[in-house]
């Protein structure tokens, strides 16, 4: 049951301070080392379950705070629904249950007694919440109903688990809303997607592409799914970052969520007019943390964007052996840190005397702390200090007087630079193609590909099969066996890119499509929209 | 599986606006009506599971905020551990597993496949967290380790479920800490208990008694348990409000959580000195909301203490039929509410025109909104408004100019008055006795009893059996059959007090104990401490 491989790897390395592999050489092992050595994650003895240590949970708290503030402004209210659901309720919507059934965990016993009937643990809460919605919603006055809960959910997947990205239990928020009109509902879908994009771009400094999922990839039982898609350059894989679904009236018909419409202007009560509500659901998970780790991390370890870093600024004194200047250094650092703290920065002074400065640099670098301020005895004499950025290693001298203010200023600079750099890299890995040959070439180079598509599920499946076959062939000819199970593992560096490409989204931002453009797959159908394709986690 | 009775009751009443029973006549039914009509709770089709609607969840958010702020000041850090635990880990501490085993929910299937071995859902997380503690803690420098998580837990009890008070899934925080010394650990036990008392007294306006649990009632596997105990006068029952446990070194021995002690002053490294850490665990649950409802609620419904009320002040205009003054009234109210809001109050203007003022009064009273400001046309002419308190119904006139500031002021007054009133009532129901006869008399009058006790488990069990027997006899002679299962239900009004008394706590605040005082039970042993006894939820 234990996640034996990673466990062992972890153990093997715990005595070393630094990382033993480079991100570009062994991405999967690099990721494991970064998240364990930074003390974000501890492995656990049930496969697919991981411990979120304070260093990662505090990031989750910042994401929660930011997003929760955003949805409260939209009128969304907090609540908590049970995590258990009866088989009957879970099965009300057919497509929905069909998709989730294989991953559902079932409780069948309490103590030594068998339960009368097995009870499922929520994989998502549509079927738990909507019977209550049907009770609560009677009239247009009860609308909109917009609720959100922050919970754990369980999807007992059998693919290779990866901490944050693919776990059997994970944390998320799930929003569920009901509106009188499709217009209102559709507006909310996009409002929420905006908030998701802001979590990624403004907090995590990860650029995302907004769009709509293909028919094949949308939420089971919903009308359409919107998504923000991120890209992990080093893995050559995209990742679904968060999704906001329009459920249309599908669930409201199944669960009989109806409302009496408002009287019309003529004064004739339409009191026999029961309408089904228009619904949305939307979710953001702890996966977001893993995405940020993969995008920003480097060969020293974690690199945290200032806005989510539990510690933003660390002060390290460079004590001389006789120790005479020690307390003066500490005082000078404390003054800088206090000033930064007053401006809202999260700071720490590491005045431990049993660790040398080099050890401390490494320690905070591995944990991704955005900025370090050092003072040595010569600095002190010169009335200055040195600021060292984690994101690019840049060092700058600064007078002691200006240091506090400069640290505050640098936070915004670092945050903006990290997003810019990630966006430039992402853009450099996004190819626009018109033909199948170009498509394959770009895909095999580990890029995302924007291509004119006919929107047919048939061509989508063909691309999946073909790219899988081609990837396997090339891997085999490169003398490597490819295990299909590895498709979704983190082992995706471009040297051994495996697995099929799929549609990521149909971006909202569409380049012009010249008349007569044909589908890039060569299926013979005209292209309808530009679609983003790629390998995906 | 459905919680049929309560469900039906709820349905029967949904068309009525007010409560159909008095708190003193049928406490259980009153409670059900209060929590459903105020929209705190919705019943659910799995027994023992309930939906926390925004009106109650927002109270939980305030409790979380307050307590989380408190523990962060103590150095406690946030985290998240998996909710699943293997049978092997769950069983490491014998007393612990023995107590929890009968209530553990087991996952045995995912999709259609049987799991290799069943996996338990956490009833509490000692056995989930401590193997990691053993890995993380190596040296005195790793201590203290103080972690907290806000999660759901599952205890599949078969006693009668009661929303908030006794539910199969509930929300809580669980703190788990490890210290180098017993002194530090014991200090934290009490620091946390203080924070629990503050949540109850400062936020929920519920007075609590701090003390230590008897040997029989302490946390299974721990050294000693401290508790804050509340009292529900109308039910004649006490309730365990929150507990902070000293685990001593019991779990650290079982899980091998050892640390290398600090070098001693002599300079001789004691590097072969491995010590077991001293541990605590402590928890506060959503039960706290139910306690506040039971203590403060009245025959109009919920009464919320201002500090946790989602809306603290509601403005209700008393429109006249021709509507001419309507907008002027709204403007005057809005000005008052804006001013109050600027001072931090949570306000709402109910300017709906399809509901009359009487309906609105009732609506907000049922939901426990602490203060209402009304303006009618005569008030407007006189340049005044009327403020109506929810807690005692008191009305006062106020000039429009002073109203905003007065509302802000009244919040503190109401909060303090609610605590005072609850404390007076609680104190009037707390009897001090020296003999068994007095004890029985006070208990049967629905009071808590403070009595000099020998601390022996034998006498504790004797009291339990005797009081159960006496209660049954008296109930039978009053012509009522008593169902033992009802013992822990909310049906506890003094007219049909059933069930046994037990020790609630040995209060920290001990009255003097004259030399030679014998145990009140007549067991023949000398009394050692004053103990608080009572029926309990």
């Amino acid at each position: 049951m234990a996640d034996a491989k990673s466990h062992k790897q972890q153990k093997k390395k715990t005595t070393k301070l630094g990382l033993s592999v480079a991100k570009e050489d062994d991405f999967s092992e690099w990721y494991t080392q970064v998240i364990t050595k930074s003390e974000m994650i501890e492995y656990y003895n049930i496969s697919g379950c991981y411990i979120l240590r304070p260093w990662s949970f505090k990031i989750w708290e910042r994401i929660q705070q930011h997003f929760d503030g955003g949805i409260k402004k939209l009128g969304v209210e907090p609540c908590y629904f049970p995590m258990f659901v009866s088989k009957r309720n879970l099965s009300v919507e057919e497509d929905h249950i069909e998709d989730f059934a294989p991953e559902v965990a079932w409780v069948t016993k309490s103590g030594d007694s068998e339960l009368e009937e097995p009870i499922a643990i929520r994989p998502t809460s549509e079927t738990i919440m909507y019977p209550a919605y049907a009770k609560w919603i009677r009239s247009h006055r009860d609308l909109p109903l917009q609720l959100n809960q922050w919970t754990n959910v369980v999807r007992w997947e059998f693919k290779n688990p990866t901490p944050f990205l693919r776990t059997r239990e994970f944390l998320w928020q799930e929003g569920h809303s009901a509106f009188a009109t499709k217009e209102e509902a559709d507006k909310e879908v996009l409002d929420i997607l905006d908030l998701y994009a802001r979590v990624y771009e403004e907090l995590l400094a990860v650029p995302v592409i907004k769009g709509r999922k293909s028919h094949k990839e949308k939420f089971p039982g919903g009308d359409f799914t919107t998504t923000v898609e991120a890209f992990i350059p080093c893995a050559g894989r995209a990742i679904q970052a968060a999704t906001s679904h329009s459920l249309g009236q599908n669930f409201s018909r199944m669960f009989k969520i109806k409302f009496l419409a408002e009287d019309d202007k003529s004064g004739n009560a339409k009191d026999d007019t029961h309408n089904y509500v228009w619904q949305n659901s939307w979710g953001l998970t702890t996966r977001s943390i893993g995405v940020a780790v993969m995008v920003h991390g480097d060969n020293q370890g974690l690199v945290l964007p200032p806005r989510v870093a539990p510690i933003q600024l660390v002060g390290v004194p460079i004590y001389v052996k006789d120790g005479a200047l020690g307390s003066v250094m500490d005082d000078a650092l404390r003054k800088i840190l206090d000033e930064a703290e007053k401006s809202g920065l999260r700071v720490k002074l590491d005045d431990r005397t049993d660790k040398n400065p080099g050890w401390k640099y490494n320690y905070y670098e591995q944990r991704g702390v955005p900025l370090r301020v050092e003072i040595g005895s010569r600095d002190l004499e010169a009335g200055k200090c040195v600021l060292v950025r984690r994101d690019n290693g840049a060092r700058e001298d600064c007078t002691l007087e200006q240091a506090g203010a400069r640290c505050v200023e640098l936070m915004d600079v670092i945050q903006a630079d990290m997003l810019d750099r990630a966006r430039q890299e992402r853009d450099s890995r996004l190819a626009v193609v018109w033909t199948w040959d170009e498509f394959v070439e770009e895909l095999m180079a580990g890029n995302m590909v924007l291509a004119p598509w006919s929107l047919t599920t048939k061509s989508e499946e063909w691309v999946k099969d073909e790219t899988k076959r081609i990837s396997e062939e090339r891997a085999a000819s490169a003398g490597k066996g490819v295990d299909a199970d590895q498709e979704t593992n983190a082992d995706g560096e471009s040297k051994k890119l495996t697995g099929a490409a799929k549609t990521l989204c149909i971006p909202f931002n569409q380049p012009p499509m010249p008349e007569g453009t044909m589908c890039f797959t060569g299926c013979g159908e005209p292209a309808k929209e530009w679609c983003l394709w790629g390998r995906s986690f």
Side-chain angles (χ1 to χ4, degrees), chain A residues 161-340:
Chain A
T162 306
F164 297 120
L165 298 207
R166 186 182 300 282
T167 63
R168 285 178 170 174
E169 182 193 3
F170 58 87
L171 302 183
W172 77 346
Q173 61 65 221
E174 52 178 325
H176 294 266
S177 44
F179 295 90
T181 64
K182 176 170 166 52
E183 289 66 38
E184 289 168 277
D186 286 356
K187 180 180 180 308
E188 194 213 43
V189 169
L190 296 184
D191 285 345
I192 294 296
L193 199 70
D194 265 345
L195 290 177
Y196 287 153
R198 288 183 53 196
V199 165
Y200 275 92
E201 302 198 334
E202 294 178 15
L203 288 193
L204 300 172
V206 171
V208 289
I209 294 172
K210 287 186 198 171
R212 187 177 94 242
K213 286 282 181 187
S214 72
H215 180 78
K216 180 173 148 64
E217 296 288 338
K218 76 178 167 67
F219 183 72
D223 256 18
F224 64 88
T225 287
T226 66
T227 180
V228 282
E229 297 282 324
F231 184 68
I232 316 293
C234 199
R237 287 180 193 274
I239 185 160
Q240 177 179 304
T243 46
S244 176
H245 314 293
S246 159
L247 305 180
Q249 295 181 314
N250 302 337
F251 284 87
S252 64
R253 284 176 198 280
M254 296 300 159
F255 287 97
K256 302 199 173 27
I257 315 176
K258 294 185 284 189
F259 70 101
L260 197 62
E262 194 169 3
D263 296 355
D264 72 13
K265 300 295 176 209
S266 69
N268 300 322
K270 293 189 195 164
D271 57 5
D272 56 348
T273 314
H274 269 100
N275 298 294
Y276 291 104
V277 299
W278 295 86
Q279 290 182 274
N280 300 330
S281 71
W282 26 275
L284 170 75
T285 80
T286 33
R287 159 179 284 198
S288 49
I289 301 170
V291 172
V293 172
M294 288 184 164
V295 166
H296 300 301
D298 64 19
N299 288 333
Q300 272 68 55
L302 202 58
V303 181
L304 289 177
R307 290 198 58 190
V308 297
I311 298 173
Q312 297 172 305
L313 171 64
V314 63
V316 177
I318 308 171
Y319 298 133
V320 282
K321 282 234 170 98
D322 64 10
L325 283 170
S327 71
V328 190
M329 271 177 214
D330 288 352
D331 287 347
L333 281 170
R334 227 171 254 125
K335 212 172 146 222
I336 296 167
L337 296 174
D338 282 354
E339 199 185 324

Side-chain angles (χ1 to χ4, degrees), chain A residues 10-25:
Chain A
Q10 195 201 356
K11 200 145 198 184
K12 201 175 66 190
K13 304 285 158 45
T14 41
T15 49
K16 293 192 190 172
L17 191 60
L19 307 184
S20 70
V21 294
K23 188 177 185 184
E24 56 278 13
D25 290 336

Side-chain angles (χ1 to χ4, degrees), chain A residues 1 4 7 29 44 59 113 135 139 162 164 197-198 215 256 266 293 333 413 416 422 441 459 464 472 493 516 524:
Chain A
M1 196 149 47
H7 223 107
E29 172 64 15
Y44 188 66
I59 297 175
S113 331
K135 266 177 107 168
S139 133
T162 306
F164 297 120
R198 288 183 53 196
H215 180 78
K256 302 199 173 27
S266 69
V293 172
L333 281 170
V413 176
E441 188 180 338
S459 61
K464 202 169 174 177
E472 281 170 13
E493 66 273 26

